[in-house]
């Protein structure tokens, strides 16, 4: 009886692992037009409007080479996502702002979404991931 329970449990775990891997995609973010190579880029991949610009599903900090950089997010499931990033010139891992809350460091989002009198909106930055996907962003 214990062997039967073990085999059933093993089959369940294996089927869950394979079902997750079958939907595993890669989102590549290509960033161009970076004004200088000082500091780093802080890049976030967001999976819903509630967390957009607050808590990324996945995040990376990357060094800048020349005026471009590439970030690859692996193991992304199909769905709706948005990317937001900023040029962290002083490498403090936060978007520096002035006394009025206006960013002093460059930032960008997927679809090159721009905010009007505020940050970009989820609706303007979102994209669908059905297969491996490449997002191109220009500063």
């Amino acid at each position: 009886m214990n062997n039967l329970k073990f085999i059933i449990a093993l089959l369940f775990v294996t089927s869950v692992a394979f079902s997750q891997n079958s939907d595993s995609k890669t989102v590549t973010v290509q960033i161009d037009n970076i004004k200088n190579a000082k500091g780093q880029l802080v890049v976030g991949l967001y999976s819903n409007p509630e967390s957009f610009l607050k808590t990324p599903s996945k995040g990376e900090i990357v060094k800048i080479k020349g005026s471009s950089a590439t970030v690859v997010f692996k193991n992304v499931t199909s769905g709706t996502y948005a990317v937001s990033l900023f040029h962290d010139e002083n490498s403090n891992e936060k978007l520096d702002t002035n006394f009025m809350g206006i960013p002093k460091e460059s930032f960008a989002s997927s679809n090159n979404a721009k905010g009007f009198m505020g940050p970009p909106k989820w609706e303007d930055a979102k994209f669908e991931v059905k297969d491996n996907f490449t997002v191109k962003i220009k500063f």
Side-chain angles (χ1 to χ4, degrees):
M1 186 66 172
N2 282 339
N3 286 341
L4 181 59
K5 287 181 183 177
F6 175 76
I7 290 170
I8 292 171
L10 183 62
L11 288 173
F12 175 75
V13 170
T14 304
S15 68
V16 168
F18 280 117
S19 69
Q20 288 176 346
N21 287 338
S22 68
D23 193 37
S24 180
K25 312 290 186 250
T26 299
V27 174
T28 302
V29 183
Q30 295 176 343
I31 306 116
D32 293 313
N33 264 7
I34 303 168
K35 75 177 181 179
N36 63 55
K38 284 192 231 171
Q40 59 199 7
L41 293 176
V42 177
V43 184
L45 179 69
Y46 299 86
S47 60
N48 62 64
E50 292 79 27
S51 68
F52 185 53
L53 303 179
K54 295 177 188 108
T55 308
S57 299
K58 294 179 179 275
E60 291 287 334
I61 296 175
V62 295
K63 296 291 179 194
I64 302 164
K65 295 177 183 160
S67 63
S68 63
T70 301
V71 178
V72 178
F73 293 107
K74 297 180 180 178
N75 300 319
V76 177
T77 57
S78 296
T80 305
Y81 293 90
V83 171
S84 180
L85 60 99
F86 66 92
H87 184 177
D88 183 17
E89 291 190 58
N90 60 2
S91 297
N92 66 353
E93 297 183 17
K94 67 177 193 170
L95 178 63
D96 294 324
T97 59
N98 66 17
F99 70 97
M100 293 178 60
I102 297 170
K104 295 194 286 186
E105 296 174 308
S106 302
F107 62 93
S109 293
S110 44
N111 299 329
N112 292 310
K114 304 282 185 211
F116 178 73
M117 302 295 286
K121 306 285 187 248
W122 166 264
E123 288 298 316
D124 297 330
K126 71 179 181 176
F127 56 88
E128 289 295 319
V129 173
K130 296 177 184 169
D131 294 306
N132 292 339
F133 194 80
T134 299
V135 178
K136 295 182 180 185
I137 298 175
K138 283 189 174 185
F139 268 105

